[in-house]
Amino acid sequence: MNNSQKVSEAIVNQGILPLYFNADENVTIEVLRAIYRAGIKAVEYTNRGEAALKNFAKMVEVRNAEMPDLLLGIGTIKNLEQAKAFENIGADFYISPGFVPEVAQYLIAKDLFYSPGCMTPTEIIAAENAGVKFIKLFPGNMLGPDFLSGIKDIFPKLVFMPTGGVDTTKESISSWYKAGVSAVGMGSKLISKQLMADHDYATIEAETKKVLEVIQSIK
């Protein structure tokens, strides 16, 4: 199985893509361990601070030693330089807040999974024509499930995942699934800054388990 297919299947199978960033390396690693214990097999770390590259390198190191079946993705990739920097330290997949043509061209040519953020049919068409198969609907709270319901039939071959504004409740998650998503991206609603500040990894683990169970019940 190629990389893109492997990553896509892992995200779709678990039905959620958790995403987070923390400047503290120890917090970053402990959150990673907590969500892995909960059953997560693919996670996105967001490239949102100066410590992101260094922390991600440590995540790869810990993953290789403790969690060999976990796929590590990097988010908030806005240019080719960033994509290459994280490729060099072992990122398994790449996610952008918007569609970046040169990043798509580079990663798809290497059969590396790339999911761009899109919020209009024009952007989705451009991404599809570039070879993208997995679309991140972003920001999800601005678009809402009705947006996907309205356009889904135009893009029968694409996989959709909203990020932003998806709550941990069954109502919120099921409304997106009814609209036709294959997974939901979940950041601060699941791994909040407060939980990380409190080093409350037990709650992060418990909440992640709960969301995984909700998704399985919906599917």
Side-chain angles (χ1 to χ4, degrees), residues 94-114:
Y94 305 77
I95 296 180
S96 295
F99 174 55
V100 191
E102 59 269 33
V103 171
Q105 185 182 8
Y106 177 79
L107 294 173
I108 290 168
K110 292 186 148 202
D111 184 42
L112 291 168
F113 177 98
Y114 175 60

Side-chain angles (χ1 to χ4, degrees), residues 15-17 19 44 115 118 134-145 147-148 159-167 172-173 175-177 179-187:
I16 176 180
L17 184 63
L19 53 126
E44 173 190 341
S115 178
C118 298
F134 197 112
I135 301 290
K136 165 178 151 174
L137 293 173
F138 180 76
N141 55 318
M142 297 288 289
L143 295 167
F147 171 77
L148 181 58
V159 174
F160 289 95
M161 174 185 76
T163 299
V166 183
D167 285 322
S172 176
I173 296 167
S175 68
W176 279 106
Y177 269 89
V181 304
S182 297
V184 290
M186 210 173 277

Side-chain angles (χ1 to χ4, degrees), residues 13-33:
N13 284 345
Q14 69 187 22
I16 176 180
L17 184 63
L19 53 126
Y20 72 101
F21 170 76
N22 195 285
D24 186 296
E25 184 186 279
N26 290 329
V27 173
T28 291
I29 297 303
E30 290 309 321
V31 170
L32 188 68
R33 287 180 173 133

Side-chain angles (χ1 to χ4, degrees), residues 8 21 32 121 135 153 158 171 174 192-193 206-207:
S8 182
F21 170 76
L32 188 68
I135 301 290
D153 290 348
L158 295 181
E171 293 73 27
S174 61
S192 71
K193 285 182 181 174
E207 287 299 308

Side-chain angles (χ1 to χ4, degrees), residues 145-209:
D146 286 347
F147 171 77
L148 181 58
S149 297
I151 64 156
K152 184 81 166 62
D153 290 348
I154 310 166
F155 303 104
K157 293 181 179 175
L158 295 181
V159 174
F160 289 95
M161 174 185 76
T163 299
V166 183
D167 285 322
T168 57
T169 63
K170 187 166 187 173
E171 293 73 27
S172 176
I173 296 167
S174 61
S175 68
W176 279 106
Y177 269 89
K178 278 176 191 157
V181 304
S182 297
V184 290
M186 210 173 277
S188 59
K189 303 273 186 183
L190 180 66
I191 306 166
S192 71
K193 285 182 181 174
Q194 193 58 56
L195 287 173
M196 289 192 281
D198 294 342
H199 300 175
D200 190 354
Y201 309 116
T203 298
I204 291 172
E205 181 182 347
E207 287 299 308
T208 304
K209 263 187 192 158

Side-chain angles (χ1 to χ4, degrees), residues 21-23 25 28-29 45-61 74-75 77 81-91 94:
F21 170 76
N22 195 285
E25 184 186 279
T28 291
I29 297 303
Y45 193 65
T46 50
N47 178 31
R48 288 198 186 164
E50 289 179 13
L53 194 67
K54 180 179 68 71
N55 287 355
F56 195 84
K58 185 66 179 177
M59 291 169 80
V60 172
E61 183 189 315
I74 186 68
I77 293 297
E81 186 185 3
Q82 291 172 342
K84 287 180 175 177
F86 283 93
E87 181 192 11
N88 288 338
I89 54 173
Y94 305 77

